[in-house]
């Protein structure tokens, strides 16, 4: 089915998920939306994140997408359960798949989750994990400075080490053997996190498992693109200016991103009930 | 004149300006708006900041304000010049007053400015300062991590010292004797900045001078509130949930802020041309 897959995030972090889709599903067309005018979502309230996510879903539907991936952990936590009931095309987030992997990986059944304030406060990973296995105990920790540190380029830096040691220090007391990277920016400081947590703690990046779930879902629904020799089409939309997005995307994606395939749109006009 | 003064900011930082207005103009009524759903503005494009600011001005006009203070440096830099030509009530930002004070304070005529990426890139402080005195040289430096560090509560911390030393280190080579704190969050880490810059550099906080200019402006236009025994009325509006705003405001303002005088509104619906 030639219709594109819609992928959205609060900003550029979700490109790590788009990259995984390009790798695992190389024939699929993708429409990516990054809400760069209103980023970040992590410190905002559930109602606001839900309103923003609904506007984005409305926008993606105008692009005739066959399925939607919520590549943002905060939106997956705060908006996905509601939106899932409101639309008739498949929509998946990053949380279930990440939780499933963590469940398979853990031996001690003590799992840690790091993410934004919104994700951790929602306790959605805890609910998901204990539903999969009621013996599991979960400890969550929000890490508000990780996103600004990554965006400032301090990926390998003593300040990032210092902040990470404080955030993660608490988790080390809980004897966890598995840690979910519950925010799309965190895989970019994976090395720092791994060094502090030590070899005995396995890190789970939900992007990989989410894409596997997406593939299964599309296959089950008969929505997979038939293999073709044609190059897939990737389109990108953002709510703020395109320049900054292009420079970040160029560093993350394996393909060319330029002003030709990135457009800025007025996302606020996609409120349900307004004329689009 | 009993009409309130409108004050707006991208979030909570502008409360430091509101506090100064309460102090210098204790009889005036104030309507404050903080765009907490879309904060921060500092890394966003000029067009987006202008669109958001226009919506906020439209909202404040529905409250029948007699004048508007743009308490956000980024919005003052990127939106104020355009909006000033579009409306017929007095509107002032924080930049002109800050620049005027810096001009009066400097002896070496080498002035530094720190602020968000948007403020520094706009070069608006440089334009303002060199218009006041063409002999002045200005060096600007954006400090993207200061806002997240303050919001994380790391006001006195070795990490804030470390980051501040890197940002400000560059400025020390320029022999400046005056430094403008060109972002409303920065006065909250004034001590750290002062320690790194040393005694020979004077710090200018535009909030104080902006309020002095506001007072003069209102007097000139005959808009000052006549002194009364009645308590002033302070109303607060935000675009995200009220709880987080209340807890921050309580720490900054000298008066009581509670759910009774803080309301959450849908700022996106105040687009000009839409039905409000």
């Amino acid at each position: 089915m030639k219709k594109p897959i819609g992928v959205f995030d609060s900003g550029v972090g979700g490109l790590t998920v788009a990259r995984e889709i390009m790798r695992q599903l190389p024939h699929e067309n993708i429409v990516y939306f990054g809400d760069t005018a209103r980023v970040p979502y992590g410190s905002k309230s559930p109602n606001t994140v839900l309103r923003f996510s609904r506007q984005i879903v409305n926008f993606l539907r105008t692009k005739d997408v066959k399925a939607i991936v919520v590549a943002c952990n905060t939106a997956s936590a705060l908006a996905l359960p509601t939106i899932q009931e409101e639309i008739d095309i498949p929509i998946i987030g990053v949380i279930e798949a990440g939780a499933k992997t963590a469940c398979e990986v853990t031996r001690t059944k003590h799992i840690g989750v790091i993410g934004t304030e919104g994700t951790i406060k929602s306790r959605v990973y805890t609910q998901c994990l204990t539903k999969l296995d009621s013996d599991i105990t979960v400890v969550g920790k929000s890490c508000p400075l990780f996103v600004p540190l990554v965006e400032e380029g301090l990926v390998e830096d003593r300040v990032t080490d210092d902040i990470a040691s404080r955030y993660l220090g608490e988790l080390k007391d809980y004897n966890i053997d598995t840690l979910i990277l519950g925010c799309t920016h965190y895989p970019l400081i994976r090395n720092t996190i791994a060094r502090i947590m030590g070899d005995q703690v396995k890190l789970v990046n939900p992007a990989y498992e989410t894409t596997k779930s997406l593939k299964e879902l599309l296959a089950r629904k008969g929505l997979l693109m038939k293999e073709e020799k044609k190059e897939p089409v990737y389109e990108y939309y953002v709510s703020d200016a395109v320049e900054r997005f292009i420079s970040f995307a160029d560093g993350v994606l394996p393909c060319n991103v330029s002003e030709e395939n990135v457009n800025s749109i007025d996302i606020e006009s996609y409120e349900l009930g307004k004329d689009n």
Side-chain angles (χ1 to χ4, degrees), chain A residues 136-158:
Chain A
I136 283 176
T137 59
V138 184
V139 52
K141 175 72 188 161
S142 65
C143 307
L145 282 168
F146 278 176
V147 171
L149 287 167
V150 168
E151 302 233 326
E152 185 72 341
L154 302 184
V155 168
E156 287 288 347
D157 193 278
R158 64 172 183 267

Side-chain angles (χ1 to χ4, degrees), chain A residues 72-97:
Chain A
C72 169
N73 279 269
T74 309
S76 295
L78 304 179
L80 181 61
T82 307
I83 290 177
Q84 229 154 9
E85 305 200 343
E86 294 173 347
I87 64 171
D88 53 5
I89 55 168
I91 178 166
I92 62 167
V94 286
I95 286 166
E96 260 185 63

Side-chain angles (χ1 to χ4, degrees), chain A residues 25-265:
Chain A
L25 292 161
H27 304 288
E28 297 290 342
N29 300 322
I30 296 174
V31 175
Y32 182 93
F33 176 79
D35 199 358
T36 50
R38 303 185 294 195
V39 71
Y41 284 5
S43 54
K44 284 154 195 174
S45 72
N47 278 340
T48 292
V49 173
L50 177 59
R51 194 173 79 248
F52 291 174
S53 301
R54 276 185 174 137
Q55 291 169 351
I56 297 167
V57 166
N58 290 340
F59 163 70
L60 289 174
R61 301 214 61 178
T62 68
K63 296 289 157 191
D64 203 21
V65 295
K66 63 184 174 187
I68 293 176
V69 179
V70 186
C72 169
N73 279 269
T74 309
S76 295
L78 304 179
L80 181 61
T82 307
I83 290 177
Q84 229 154 9
E85 305 200 343
E86 294 173 347
I87 64 171
D88 53 5
I89 55 168
I91 178 166
I92 62 167
V94 286
I95 286 166
E96 260 185 63
K100 214 174 124 222
T101 316
C103 245
E104 288 160 11
V105 163
T106 186
R107 286 167 193 277
T108 62
K109 304 213 180 208
H110 295 302
I111 296 176
V113 183
I114 51 176
T116 65
E117 203 187 318
T119 301
I120 298 304
K121 265 196 183 160
S122 76
R123 296 178 52 84
V124 67
Y125 270 109
T126 308
Q127 286 158 21
C128 220
L129 285 161
T130 50
K131 208 160 87 182
L132 288 165
D133 182 344
S134 60
D135 289 342
I136 283 176
T137 59
V138 184
V139 52
K141 175 72 188 161
S142 65
C143 307
L145 282 168
F146 278 176
V147 171
L149 287 167
V150 168
E151 302 233 326
E152 185 72 341
L154 302 184
V155 168
E156 287 288 347
D157 193 278
R158 64 172 183 267
V159 158
T160 307
D161 279 2
D162 190 336
I163 293 291
S165 297
R166 298 187 209 182
Y167 286 148
L168 304 174
E170 278 183 40
L171 294 178
K172 294 186 80 171
D173 299 337
Y174 285 89
N175 192 30
I176 60 168
D177 71 342
T178 307
L179 180 63
I180 299 174
L181 306 181
C183 171
T184 49
H185 275 76
Y186 297 179
L188 302 170
I189 50 167
R190 192 191 178 102
N191 290 343
T192 302
I193 296 169
R195 198 164 52 238
I196 291 165
M197 294 310 295
D199 288 344
Q200 72 285 7
V201 176
K202 294 208 176 63
L203 305 186
V204 172
N205 172 7
Y208 176 78
E209 279 295 322
T210 299
T211 306
K212 261 183 66 184
S213 301
L214 172 69
K215 196 171 176 177
E216 285 161 19
L217 178 74
L218 294 178
R220 205 164 60 236
K221 304 250 178 193
L223 293 173
L224 273 177
M225 177 73 119
K226 286 175 200 128
E227 299 212 9
E228 289 188 58
K229 286 195 178 149
K230 253 176 64 182
E231 284 289 302
V233 179
Y234 300 144
E235 286 175 54
Y236 309 90
Y237 294 86
V238 289
S239 48
D240 198 3
V242 302
E243 295 77 16
R244 177 190 282 261
F245 178 84
I246 290 172
S247 79
F248 194 97
D250 245 4
V252 172
L253 297 179
C255 51
N256 185 41
V257 181
S258 70
E259 288 192 15
E260 278 172 36
N261 51 6
V262 184
N263 293 288
S264 177
I265 61 158

